[in-house]
Amino acid sequence: MADTDVPSTSEVESHVRSSLEKISTLQAHSHEHRGAPHGKTQFLERLRTFSSQKWFARRGSWSPINCSLWGWRCCDVNTLSCSFCGAVKSVPSSQGEGGTDAAANLRAWHRESCAFRQSSCPETVVRLSAGRAAAMEAQMRAKTFALSGNHPVRVVRSVDAEAEAD
């Protein structure tokens, strides 16, 4: 066999990298079909993992909703994990609201082949449908009526509101 028939080390490495990327993509797609990671059900499952004991007073980019949108679940105190790619990151409690660093980290901490490194869940998974919102409002009104001793709740104007009206 001639020397020209033997691939170079860089060609072999390139081929192996390409093959691994294809395998990772296939694994990601098969995992996605078992349960779409960007779906509402999976989002709500991730969101349920956050509690005040493990994820205390985080707002803004570090809020449980935002972390869940980016595929993270709370697996321990101040620790996030991705059930899709397996990445685990500890987040110091000093990182309160975060801002752009938090948003960038929530994306970048995923492994290269992870679907969440490319995009978060659509924000529509957080929104209530109009019908659901109306049903919730009706339930709230019924509970308020029941708690008020079956008497209509009166709207009481504050002293400040009366002064402004004069």
Side-chain angles (χ1 to χ4, degrees), residues 70-93:
W70 280 101
W72 297 103
R73 62 181 60 241
C74 187
C75 61
D76 203 351
V77 177
N78 296 324
T79 306
L80 299 173
S81 68
C82 175
S83 60
F84 192 73
C85 70
V88 177
K89 292 294 177 179
S90 180
V91 182
S93 57

Side-chain angles (χ1 to χ4, degrees), residues 28-46 68 71 73 83-84 115-116 121-122 125:
H29 288 301
S30 69
H31 182 52
E32 209 169 325
H33 292 301
R34 286 194 310 266
H38 289 86
K40 187 168 192 152
T41 302
Q42 287 72 19
F43 164 76
L44 292 173
E45 286 174 7
R46 290 189 298 271
S68 296
R73 62 181 60 241
S83 60
F84 192 73
F116 287 107
C121 289
V125 300

Side-chain angles (χ1 to χ4, degrees), residues 8-134:
S8 68
T9 303
S10 62
E11 290 173 325
V12 171
E13 288 174 352
S14 175
H15 178 72
V16 168
R17 257 192 309 276
S18 174
S19 297
L20 288 174
E21 286 175 11
K22 288 176 185 174
I23 290 169
S24 293
T25 302
L26 289 172
Q27 286 173 338
H29 288 301
S30 69
H31 182 52
E32 209 169 325
H33 292 301
R34 286 194 310 266
H38 289 86
K40 187 168 192 152
T41 302
Q42 287 72 19
F43 164 76
L44 292 173
E45 286 174 7
R46 290 189 298 271
L47 188 58
R48 283 187 198 99
T49 65
F50 289 85
S51 68
S52 59
Q53 291 83 18
K54 295 191 296 185
W55 198 254
F56 181 70
R58 304 283 182 133
R59 298 181 310 227
S61 296
W62 291 113
S63 73
I65 289 175
N66 198 49
C67 291
S68 296
L69 283 171
W70 280 101
W72 297 103
R73 62 181 60 241
C74 187
C75 61
D76 203 351
V77 177
N78 296 324
T79 306
L80 299 173
S81 68
C82 175
S83 60
F84 192 73
C85 70
V88 177
K89 292 294 177 179
S90 180
V91 182
S93 57
S94 61
Q95 292 183 319
E97 294 186 30
T100 56
D101 287 344
N105 285 339
L106 289 174
R107 182 180 196 158
W109 286 345
H110 289 284
R111 295 195 174 129
E112 290 291 326
S113 61
C114 187
F116 287 107
R117 192 171 178 105
Q118 306 306 315
S119 66
S120 69
C121 289
E123 290 191 13
T124 56
V125 300
V126 180
R127 295 188 194 133
L128 291 174
S129 66
R132 179 81 175 123

Side-chain angles (χ1 to χ4, degrees), residues 1-8 11-12:
M1 192 156 108
D3 287 335
T4 56
D5 294 334
V6 177
S8 68
E11 290 173 325
V12 171

